[in-house]
């Protein structure tokens, strides 16, 4: 009780033994499984997770998880650890190169600084010559002399530092030349050959062990692989044949559709020509009738108002017929090229059920005809309202005009 009362502020007593609190225990290593091994193999290839993964791999090997069934997985993970050695050496070489470049940059900068110090000291020396020195006041001479001495000290310090760097470089070059001596080079070659021979021996043993494991597994999986291969090969051929048949049917259907549309366009073109001939004949008849009516009026002495009424009626009929012909003519095709364009555009829009804007359509048509313009395509589409329709999609800045194929609906209204 007295010990507890002696504790100031009611602080909790220290742990038994008076030692520091124990460090937290490291996280538990997960148990080995093929799934966990596959995840660990990926972590070993990730530089940020390599340290954690190599600890788990070491724990598994020490636990005795390596057996004939898991040997291939462990060999692959050990191989990944060996590959990390190359990554580390490459990283070290990169840092060494950066260090050498930094040294070179520092030496060049120091050389430039020293050159400027030399120029400044030269200015002070020129100022102390009698030719200029006599013109300075006593206070100015004192300041110039102090500045000159300070600049000379700094210049000497920079020069000494630069000379030290050059001496180190010369010593490194001398060491490199000594390393190239025949005796030392022979010792280095012998060590390298011994290391290479040991590595080849280890790799040979590993390959022999891996080959034995493969032989055991091949006998168990041979029949299953052959059966699976036959099944997959037949299935792949059937799928390819079915896909080709569907593609050919789709192309044939498109060709039939295009051919039907071309025939319809030819019929419309012939009909437009017939209507034009009919209109011209009607106009000629009306002109003859108008001429005969005028002569009859003059002969029979009808009033001038009757003559004007006939003329107005005749002109109205001619104008109406001419307007009908112009409208029909504007919706027809002018050439075989237009029929081809209509067929191609119809095919393009048929596979774009949600429509396409005029720029997208123009970029496609330019691959077939580089001279065609977007305006020419749009005018052609506007002349055929029962085949193509224009819709607006979007709101505000995203508003967009798109053309769609409506021939399948338009043919029902004709």
């Amino acid at each position: 009780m007295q010990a507890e009362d002696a504790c100031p502020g009611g602080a909790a007593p220290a742990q038994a033994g008076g030692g520091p609190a124990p460090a937290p225990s490291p996280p538990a290593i997960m148990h080995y499984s093929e799934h966990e091994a596959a995840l660990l193999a990926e972590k070993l290839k990730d530089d940020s997770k390599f340290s954690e993964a190599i600890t788990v791999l070491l724990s598994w090997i020490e636990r005795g998880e390596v057996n004939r069934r898991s040997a291939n997985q462990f060999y692959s993970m050990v191989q990944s650890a060996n590959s990390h050695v190359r990554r580390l050496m490459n990283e070290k070489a990169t840092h060494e190169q950066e260090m050498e470049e930094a040294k070179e940059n520092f030496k060049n900068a120091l050389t430039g600084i020293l050159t400027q110090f030399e120029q400044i000291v030269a200015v002070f020396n020129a100022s102390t010559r009698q030719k200029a020195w006599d013109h300075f006041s006593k206070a100015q001479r004192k300041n110039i002399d102090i500045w000159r001495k300070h600049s000379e000290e700094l210049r000497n310090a920079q020069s000494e530092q630069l000379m030290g760097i050059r001496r180190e470089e010369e010593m490194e070059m001398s060491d490199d030349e000594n390393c190239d001596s025949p005796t030392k080079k022979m010792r280095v070659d012998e060590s390298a050959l011994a290391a290479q021979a040991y590595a080849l021996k280890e790799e040979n043993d590993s390959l022999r062990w891996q080959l034995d494991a493969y032989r055991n597994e091949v006998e168990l999986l041979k029949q299953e692989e052959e059966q699976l291969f036959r099944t997959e090969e037949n299935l792949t051929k059937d799928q390819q044949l079915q896909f080709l048949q569907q593609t050919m049917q789709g192309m044939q259907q498109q060709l039939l559709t295009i051919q039907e549309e071309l025939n319809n366009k030819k019929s419309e073109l012939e009909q437009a020509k017939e209507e034009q001939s009919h209109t011209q004949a009607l106009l000629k008849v009306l002109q003859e009738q108008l001429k005969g009516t005028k002569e009859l009026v003059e002969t029979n002495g009808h009033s001038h108002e009757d003559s004007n009424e006939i003329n107005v009626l005749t002109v109205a009929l001619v104008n109406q017929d001419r307007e009908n012909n112009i409208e029909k003519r504007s919706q027809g095709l002018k050439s075989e090229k237009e029929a081809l364009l209509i067929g191609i555009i119809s095919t393009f829009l048929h596979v774009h059920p949600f429509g396409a804007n005029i720029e997208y359509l123009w970029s496609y048509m330019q691959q077939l005809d580089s001279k065609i313009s977007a305006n020419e395509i749009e005018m052609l589409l506007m002349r055929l309202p029962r085949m193509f329709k224009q819709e607006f999609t979007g709101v505000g800045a995203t508003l967009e005009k798109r053309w769609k194929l409506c021939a399948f609906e338009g043919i029902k209204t004709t």
Side-chain angles (χ1 to χ4, degrees):
M1 294 296 292
Q2 292 178 357
E4 292 179 358
D5 295 337
C7 194
Q15 292 184 355
S25 59
I29 303 297
M30 74 282 292
H31 293 286
Y32 168 80
S33 66
E34 292 185 0
H35 176 69
E36 292 293 340
L39 296 177
L40 188 66
E42 294 298 326
K43 290 183 179 179
L44 287 169
K45 298 176 183 178
D46 189 348
D47 293 343
S48 62
K49 301 177 181 178
F50 179 81
S51 297
E52 175 187 355
I54 197 71
T55 303
V56 177
L57 177 60
L58 176 61
S59 176
W60 284 353
I61 295 176
E62 290 178 346
R63 287 178 182 177
E65 299 290 352
V66 181
N67 51 45
R68 283 189 173 273
R69 186 175 185 82
S70 62
N72 292 334
Q73 279 188 318
F74 274 96
Y75 176 78
S76 177
M77 290 187 285
V78 173
Q79 192 175 21
S80 297
N82 182 61
S83 299
H84 193 74
V85 174
R86 291 194 296 271
R87 292 200 297 271
L88 292 176
M89 294 306 296
N90 292 334
E91 183 178 355
K92 177 176 177 292
T94 301
H95 289 308
E96 288 178 348
Q97 183 178 359
E98 292 176 354
M99 183 178 65
E100 293 298 329
E101 292 176 355
K103 285 183 179 179
E104 187 66 24
N105 293 334
F106 176 72
K107 185 180 72 173
N108 295 334
L110 192 59
T111 302
I113 292 173
L114 183 60
T115 302
Q116 295 181 28
F117 268 117
E118 294 287 353
Q119 294 172 343
I120 294 171
V121 170
V123 170
F124 288 135
N125 290 334
S127 300
T128 57
R129 295 194 186 109
Q130 188 174 5
K131 186 173 169 180
W133 188 254
D134 293 339
H135 298 285
F136 293 117
S137 65
K138 186 176 181 180
Q140 290 174 341
R141 292 176 185 176
K142 184 178 180 180
N143 289 334
I144 291 174
D145 190 54
I146 293 173
W147 294 341
R148 178 182 60 80
K149 291 178 180 179
H150 182 63
S151 298
E152 287 178 349
E153 291 175 358
L154 292 176
R155 178 200 61 183
N156 294 336
Q158 304 300 324
S159 177
E160 183 63 27
Q161 186 176 6
L162 182 61
M163 293 300 296
I165 293 174
R166 290 176 178 172
R167 282 195 296 269
E168 289 179 0
E169 291 179 349
E170 291 176 357
M171 292 176 64
E172 290 177 358
M173 292 177 62
S174 177
D175 292 340
D176 293 340
E177 291 176 358
N178 292 333
C179 288
D180 293 338
S181 61
T183 305
K184 194 163 186 177
K185 188 174 182 180
M186 185 178 298
R187 287 199 300 269
V188 172
D189 291 342
E190 289 176 355
S191 299
L193 289 174
Q196 186 177 4
Y198 179 76
L200 289 174
K201 181 178 179 301
E202 291 290 330
E203 186 176 1
N204 187 28
D205 294 339
S206 176
L207 290 174
R208 187 183 302 108
W209 178 41
Q210 188 176 0
L211 181 60
D212 293 338
Y214 281 145
R215 286 174 179 171
N216 294 332
E217 293 181 2
V218 165
E219 294 298 330
L220 298 174
L221 300 175
K222 187 175 181 181
Q223 295 180 354
E224 183 178 354
E225 287 182 357
E226 291 178 355
Q227 183 177 2
L228 181 62
F229 178 75
R230 293 194 192 97
T231 304
E232 290 181 351
E233 185 179 9
N234 294 333
L235 181 60
T236 302
K237 289 182 178 179
D238 293 340
Q239 290 177 344
Q240 290 178 351
L241 181 60
Q242 184 179 3
F243 177 74
L244 290 175
Q245 289 176 349
Q246 293 176 353
T247 304
M248 291 179 63
Q249 290 176 358
M251 293 177 65
Q252 290 175 354
Q253 186 64 33
Q254 289 182 358
L255 289 174
L256 292 175
T257 303
I258 294 173
Q259 185 65 36
E260 184 178 356
E261 291 177 356
L262 289 176
N263 293 334
N264 293 336
K265 299 307 174 185
K266 290 179 180 179
S267 301
E268 292 177 2
L269 181 60
E270 293 176 358
Q271 184 178 359
K273 289 181 179 179
E274 292 177 359
E275 290 177 353
Q276 183 179 7
S277 301
H278 174 71
T279 302
Q280 291 176 353
L282 179 59
L283 181 59
K284 186 174 180 181
V285 170
L286 289 175
Q287 288 175 350
E288 293 293 334
Q289 290 179 355
L290 180 60
K291 182 177 179 181
T293 303
K294 287 182 178 179
E295 293 176 354
L296 182 61
V297 169
E298 292 175 359
T299 304
N300 297 332
H302 286 277
S303 63
H304 183 67
E305 289 78 7
D306 295 337
S307 177
N308 289 337
E309 183 178 354
I310 294 173
N311 290 338
V312 171
L313 180 60
T314 304
V315 171
L317 290 173
V318 172
N319 289 337
Q320 183 179 1
D321 189 71
R322 182 176 60 186
E323 290 176 359
N324 292 336
N325 288 335
I326 290 174
E327 182 181 359
K328 292 178 181 179
R329 234 184 359 257
S330 65
Q331 296 178 355
L333 301 179
K334 297 180 179 180
S335 64
E336 185 179 1
K337 180 181 178 181
E338 287 192 352
L340 292 173
L341 292 176
I342 291 298
I344 295 171
I345 294 173
S346 300
T347 305
F348 178 81
L349 292 179
H350 181 62
V351 297
H352 290 78
F354 298 105
N357 57 32
I358 195 65
E359 289 79 11
Y360 183 26
L361 184 57
W362 176 51
S363 64
Y364 171 74
M365 295 298 295
Q366 267 203 324
Q367 299 178 8
L368 305 176
D369 184 3
S370 59
K371 297 180 180 179
I372 194 168
S373 64
N375 185 49
E376 183 180 354
I377 297 173
E378 190 167 19
M379 292 300 295
L380 183 61
L381 295 174
M382 292 174 63
R383 285 167 47 197
L384 301 169
R386 292 185 178 178
M387 285 195 65
F388 308 102
K389 64 179 179 180
Q390 192 178 49
E391 293 183 353
F392 291 88
T393 59
V395 178
T398 62
L399 188 63
E400 183 184 19
K401 296 189 297 183
R402 292 187 179 183
W403 285 96
K404 291 186 177 181
L405 179 67
C406 62
F408 298 103
E409 293 82 5
I411 196 172
K412 298 177 183 179
T413 61
T414 56

